[in-house]
Amino acid sequence: MRVAAAQARCPWLDREAGVRKVVDFVGRAAAEGVELVVFPETFLPGYPIWLSEAGGVEFADDRQEAACAAYRELAVELSGPEVRVVVESVRDHGVFTYLGIAERGPGRGTVYCTLLAIDPVTGVCGVHRKLVPTPEERAVWSNGDGHGLQVHEVGGVRVGGLCCWENWMPLARHSPYAQAPDLHVSVWPGSTRLTGDITRFVALEGGVYSLAAGAVVDYADVPAGFPLRDEVLAARHRSPYDGGSAIAGPDGRWLVAPVRGEERLVIADIDPAVVRGARRELDPDGLRARPDVFGVSVDRRRGFPG
């Protein structure tokens, strides 16, 4: 199977432009013979970069509240037009797609960091809400649940995915491992600093192919009307969101080392038979998991409606 990370420049807080970008990269993936493509964390409508660049956790600050309100307003609803357009594109091109969105839940008040799995035939087949946002992210995102911790069958390849620092949570990683995946996907805001170690670590620990997808964010793309634009631009000379998309094999060696700064598809061919061979030495969901000693359960009930 040919797989790819869509390392794209994020049209920050521009949902319509973001959807066009997703549709464009799905089409590019199909033209390259890709069967599965992965987009970065909250690619629609963009990662909340001001949280780390402009004092986003300050309380009783009118401009911070206005920034959060603007972000919430542009979050994506599962039943909204943005998801419908992407589902149609996935169906037209026949490319299974993982897409990171900031999902606005019921009541319009709650926003989740969500990873959608979109099948070309059945449409949205997975909605995973990030279990625990990082301390800064909690200013805009709520805790998710275990409902979406599912592995999906894609053309004979079993695939599961996690968001950003969930990939450093041992029990969160164990959930897909226990479902015997061939490929693990991780989605990130976009940084070679974040993906360099964990992508290879997951490949070795899980005995899987490991694909990381990160965005490229240019601070110049922050729209003029955003309340904290000046603070974001003044924070540093260059955006740290430089991509970092990468693909490692089950032996932990790079098929494609982290890509810095480029906007492109990061592509590799994978073979499930290689995964089965790699698990000869370490099988994290088999006998070496010692089910007679350890027991792990996952509560897959949806925490809130939606």
Side-chain angles (χ1 to χ4, degrees):
M1 172 181 280
R2 177 161 290 185
V3 300
Q7 181 159 297
R9 181 167 169 173
C10 179
W12 202 72
L13 294 195
D14 187 336
R15 285 186 307 197
E16 289 73 20
V19 169
R20 291 195 297 270
K21 198 100 178 191
V22 171
V23 169
D24 175 49
F25 267 80
V26 170
R28 292 193 203 182
E32 293 284 348
V34 169
E35 297 174 66
L36 179 144
V37 65
V38 184
F39 288 84
E41 183 178 52
T42 59
F43 189 74
L44 296 179
Y47 183 77
I49 57 177
W50 80 91
L51 296 175
S52 58
E53 304 295 350
V57 294
E58 295 179 8
F59 289 98
D61 184 297
D62 291 343
R63 300 180 72 209
Q64 293 290 347
E65 292 179 3
C68 281
Y71 189 79
R72 287 173 180 268
E73 184 61 29
L74 289 167
V76 176
E77 296 183 359
L78 294 179
S79 60
E82 298 82 13
V83 174
R84 286 199 299 272
V85 170
V86 173
V87 168
E88 290 171 4
S89 176
V90 169
R91 182 178 297 117
D92 290 343
H93 291 290
V95 180
F96 193 102
T97 300
Y98 278 94
L99 173 64
I101 65 170
E103 177 204 347
R104 186 165 59 210
R108 300 176 63 87
T110 303
V111 175
Y112 303 97
C113 172
T114 296
L115 181 60
L116 299 181
I118 307 172
D119 184 274
V121 176
T122 61
V124 175
C125 61
V127 180
H128 170 53
R129 293 170 174 170
K130 190 175 186 176
L131 295 169
V132 183
T134 62
E136 291 173 340
E137 292 169 354
R138 291 174 198 171
V140 292
W141 297 336
S142 295
N143 281 349
D145 52 44
H147 180 78
L149 291 173
Q150 301 283 354
V151 164
H152 303 281
E153 191 88 21
V154 184
V157 175
R158 295 177 62 79
V159 189
L162 295 173
C163 299
C164 197
W165 276 22
E166 284 184 321
N167 293 280
W168 285 111
M169 297 167 60
L171 293 182
R173 292 197 307 272
H174 180 78
S175 177
Y177 292 166
Q179 299 172 68
D182 302 303
L183 170 66
H184 178 91
V185 303
S186 58
V187 295
W188 304 85
S191 170
T192 51
R193 178 181 62 84
L194 293 176
T195 60
D197 294 325
I198 189 63
T199 307
R200 295 180 61 246
F201 177 84
V202 166
L204 282 166
E205 181 185 54
V208 293
Y209 288 97
S210 178
L211 181 153
V216 176
V217 180
D218 190 325
Y219 286 170
D221 293 338
V222 177
F226 184 68
L228 295 171
R229 184 175 190 271
D230 291 343
E231 287 83 349
V232 170
L233 293 177
R236 62 181 81 201
H237 295 296
R238 178 175 295 180
S239 165
Y241 301 98
D242 60 355
S245 299
I247 305 173
D251 58 1
R253 298 179 182 177
W254 290 123
L255 300 180
V256 184
V259 175
R260 185 190 301 271
E262 297 180 55
E263 186 178 30
R264 67 177 175 90
L265 288 169
V266 176
I267 298 174
D269 293 314
I270 67 172
D271 181 356
V274 175
V275 171
R276 291 188 281 275
R279 289 185 181 153
R280 179 178 66 88
E281 297 179 1
L282 178 61
D283 188 1
D285 65 301
L287 290 177
R288 285 179 175 81
R290 288 302 302 272
D292 56 324
V293 177
F294 302 108
V296 178
S297 62
V298 179
D299 185 348
R300 290 193 170 86
R301 291 175 295 178
R302 178 60 84 199
F304 295 96

